[in-house]
Amino acid sequence: MACREPPSYTFSGPAPDYRLAPEETETTLQHTPRWHGVDNTEPTCFHKTWPQGVKVTLHHYHKDQFSQFPTYAKNSHVSGEVEVDDRNTVMEVVACLHGKLDISVTNGSGCHIKLARERVVLWSAANSASCSASICPAILPLSLRFPSTYTYNGNTEERLPPSYDFVSYALVVLMASCSYNLTITITRSRKSKLIFWKPVVSYVLPLCYRPRTRPIRPLLQEPSPFSHLKVCPEEFLMIPMTILPKRQDESTHPPLHCQFLLPSVQTFCLTDSIPCHIQVQGPARGLSEFFSQTDVQDAAETGLPMLKGKSKRSRLALGSSKPIVRVFIARQIFVDISGRKSWRTLTIGECTHLVQDSPQYDEPLSNNETMTMDWSGMVECKKDVSTVGFISGPLTVKDYLVFSLTPAFSSTSKYPSLHHAHPIRLVTDPWQDDTLIHPSDFSTSSSR
């Protein structure tokens, strides 16, 4: 069989010139700014000195407002130098990057998982080839790297979790901790035969591991979604819910229909203000029953049977005299160790200003006429929240946006309370932050 010759190759023209900023006839279609750091004017060196004459200097780390120790992102290098005094007695210097996950529950379950152990010998007298090299150098270079995964249960690869510390002193105490540290171990020659003399001493420096994440697209910062709902409805997610009357009142009270609106991206930065909206629609009679704001004193004067002859404690048991409309961010810490499960839920964000923007009716509505009530607001995480949700082996940290509607006098109301928790994802960085733009990108961003 005859072999065919390859087709002739024609050289293409030279590649077009690359320009950082577009010209007058060019337009930027998409631009991703480069992260430049929190503050480029401050030195990026961290110094830690121990009284025994050991000093560690770390470079190229991220400064985090929530941690006093150096913070590192995913796959980051821990680089720097180690300085040691009294070098004539030093036999070996070892650096080790440790990571561990500790979980403890008072019901008898708990675990200890090794997350990372990166070890490197910085200097050893045994490896010195000459007598002049038998003395430890004054400065030893240091370089270690955070692993991206760890092995769980011997065969499962899990992502390395961020630094995290949680303690709950409830009826069942739950403690969970993900910690990382840099350990410098120095071995010296024995100068004394005293028992208390320790030839091997370790120096521990805590580190903060915080993988950086971003949303997939920007967030519309509007307190009310109606201004953008018709223009770009894909930017909002609508969750329909129904409040059914209690079983004994099904025949006399109609159901109420609710709409919960939130951004469809469902991924938010810890510093974002999340717009949310609640709409409740139904017959005027049902809404009047659910959102009645008759206070306890007025109810007592009207002779309602639920308040006649009741003590103050009994009246408090009836529930709040006003309806509660609330939107907040809840975090659930879930632990599963060998089938024994424990969890805690805490509030990490709140909508402090939920404004009612319902339409005004010129005339009172009859009991069967449809009525609509609306609330809009912005939900924000608390300032002290620094860790986002993650899943790592037996520990799961999840975040939810919770919509809550509680009627007045909930224990005797014809309608039950409604609580809906929608899962969301919190990330460390916003989609774009102009304060962190690289200097070379300022001209590009200004020309867009």
Side-chain angles (χ1 to χ4, degrees), residues 195-255:
I195 299 177
F196 59 82
W197 170 256
K198 295 182 178 180
V200 180
V201 182
S202 296
Y203 305 90
V204 181
L205 173 63
L207 302 178
C208 180
Y209 180 67
R210 191 167 182 252
R212 299 175 59 241
T213 50
R214 290 181 182 271
I216 59 176
R217 61 176 188 264
L219 176 66
L220 294 178
Q221 297 291 342
E222 291 291 338
S224 179
F226 289 114
S227 57
H228 290 82
L229 189 58
K230 292 184 178 181
V231 179
C232 46
E234 69 279 358
E235 291 292 337
F236 294 94
L237 175 65
M238 182 178 297
I239 306 173
M241 302 289 292
T242 302
I243 305 178
L244 298 175
K246 295 180 180 179
R247 185 177 299 273
Q248 62 272 18
D249 301 303
E250 289 182 350
S251 59
T252 58
H253 288 75

Side-chain angles (χ1 to χ4, degrees), residues 325-343:
V325 181
R326 184 186 178 201
V327 183
F328 60 97
I329 301 176
R331 169 164 292 179
Q332 184 184 70
I333 297 91
F334 181 81
V335 173
D336 186 356
I337 303 176
S338 301
R340 307 185 69 174
K341 302 177 181 180
S342 302
W343 62 88

Side-chain angles (χ1 to χ4, degrees), residues 93-398:
V93 181
V94 177
C96 189
L97 177 62
H98 290 281
K100 61 180 180 178
L101 169 61
D102 292 317
I103 300 176
S104 179
V105 188
T106 53
N107 61 8
S109 58
C111 69
H112 173 84
I113 301 175
K114 184 186 298 182
L115 300 176
R117 191 180 186 276
E118 303 293 325
R119 184 178 183 273
V120 60
V121 178
L122 303 183
W123 183 85
S124 177
N127 298 333
S128 300
S130 61
C131 296
S132 60
S134 61
I135 299 178
C136 179
I139 299 178
L140 298 172
L142 168 68
S143 180
L144 290 167
R145 184 175 182 176
F146 275 93
S148 58
T149 61
Y150 72 97
T151 303
Y152 176 62
N153 281 342
N155 55 4
T156 305
E157 290 290 329
E158 298 279 352
R159 291 184 180 179
L160 202 66
S163 298
Y164 185 65
D165 191 16
F166 173 77
V167 180
S168 175
Y169 297 103
L171 183 61
V172 177
V173 179
L174 174 61
M175 294 184 291
S177 173
C178 299
S179 59
Y180 301 89
N181 61 70
L182 174 66
T183 303
I184 305 297
T185 303
I186 300 178
T187 304
R188 298 180 183 271
S189 59
R190 185 178 292 274
K191 298 187 300 183
S192 174
K193 295 183 179 180
L194 297 177
I195 299 177
F196 59 82
W197 170 256
K198 295 182 178 180
V200 180
V201 182
S202 296
Y203 305 90
V204 181
L205 173 63
L207 302 178
C208 180
Y209 180 67
R210 191 167 182 252
R212 299 175 59 241
T213 50
R214 290 181 182 271
I216 59 176
R217 61 176 188 264
L219 176 66
L220 294 178
Q221 297 291 342
E222 291 291 338
S224 179
F226 289 114
S227 57
H228 290 82
L229 189 58
K230 292 184 178 181
V231 179
C232 46
E234 69 279 358
E235 291 292 337
F236 294 94
L237 175 65
M238 182 178 297
I239 306 173
M241 302 289 292
T242 302
I243 305 178
L244 298 175
K246 295 180 180 179
R247 185 177 299 273
Q248 62 272 18
D249 301 303
E250 289 182 350
S251 59
T252 58
H253 288 75
L256 304 179
H257 302 282
C258 305
Q259 303 275 1
F260 301 144
L261 275 76
L262 70 154
S264 59
V265 64
Q266 303 177 69
T267 304
F268 313 103
C269 179
L270 291 173
T271 58
D272 280 342
S273 297
I274 307 172
C276 61
H277 184 84
I278 297 179
Q279 183 181 85
V280 183
Q281 190 177 43
R285 177 183 179 184
L287 292 179
S288 177
E289 171 68 28
F290 193 95
F291 295 102
S292 175
Q293 296 190 11
T294 306
D295 55 30
V296 176
Q297 183 65 29
D298 293 342
E301 293 175 356
T302 56
L304 293 178
M306 62 178 182
L307 292 176
K308 273 192 172 182
K310 298 292 183 180
S311 63
K312 182 178 181 180
R313 179 178 300 179
S314 300
R315 294 182 182 182
L316 292 176
L318 295 175
S320 173
S321 60
K322 294 184 178 181
I324 301 176
V325 181
R326 184 186 178 201
V327 183
F328 60 97
I329 301 176
R331 169 164 292 179
Q332 184 184 70
I333 297 91
F334 181 81
V335 173
D336 186 356
I337 303 176
S338 301
R340 307 185 69 174
K341 302 177 181 180
S342 302
W343 62 88
R344 292 289 183 276
T345 303
L346 62 154
T347 302
I348 64 171
E350 192 80 36
C351 181
T352 55
H353 298 87
L354 197 61
V355 181
Q356 183 175 357
D357 49 7
S358 302
Q360 300 293 329
Y361 297 95
D362 298 333
E363 299 179 359
L365 301 179
S366 62
N367 290 338
N368 296 325
E369 287 189 84
T370 302
M371 183 179 178
T372 302
M373 301 183 71
D374 297 273
W375 292 265
S376 297
M378 309 289 281
V379 187
E380 297 180 353
C381 286
K382 296 180 179 179
K383 301 299 182 181
D384 57 348
V385 179
S386 60
T387 307
V388 299
F390 62 92
I391 300 177
S392 181
L395 177 61
T396 301
V397 179
K398 286 187 176 182

